[in-house]
Amino acid sequence: MYNRGNGTNNGVFSVSQSNSIQPPNTYCIYALMSLAPAVFVWRWVPETKGKTLEEMSALWKSGGASR
């Protein structure tokens, strides 16, 4: 859902935003918009590196894990 909204924003409003608030500020806005999904992944997506498929299966059956 977030990706679709962000993509629509980029496609529809990027030219008008660049013209009204200058290109560097437009890119800063997009960078700030990218922080929300990054925080989501950091906070709620469990680490899977080095785990076996059996461990991952048990992790997801238990409801996942947060940091």
Side-chain angles (χ1 to χ4, degrees):
M1 185 70 174
Y2 179 85
N3 187 29
R4 186 174 182 95
N6 199 15
T8 300
N9 182 42
N10 287 343
V12 175
F13 299 113
S14 62
V15 174
S16 62
Q17 287 174 344
S18 291
N19 291 336
S20 64
I21 61 173
Q22 303 302 315
N25 295 333
T26 301
Y27 295 121
C28 287
I29 289 170
Y30 292 147
L32 291 173
M33 290 172 62
S34 297
L35 286 177
V39 168
F40 172 82
V41 168
W42 176 78
R43 178 66 179 98
W44 286 288
V45 177
E47 179 61 57
T48 60
K49 183 178 179 182
K51 295 193 179 196
T52 65
L53 291 176
E54 291 79 15
E55 291 172 328
M56 290 305 304
S57 180
L59 176 71
W60 291 116
K61 284 180 182 176
S62 69
S66 61
R67 294 181 192 247

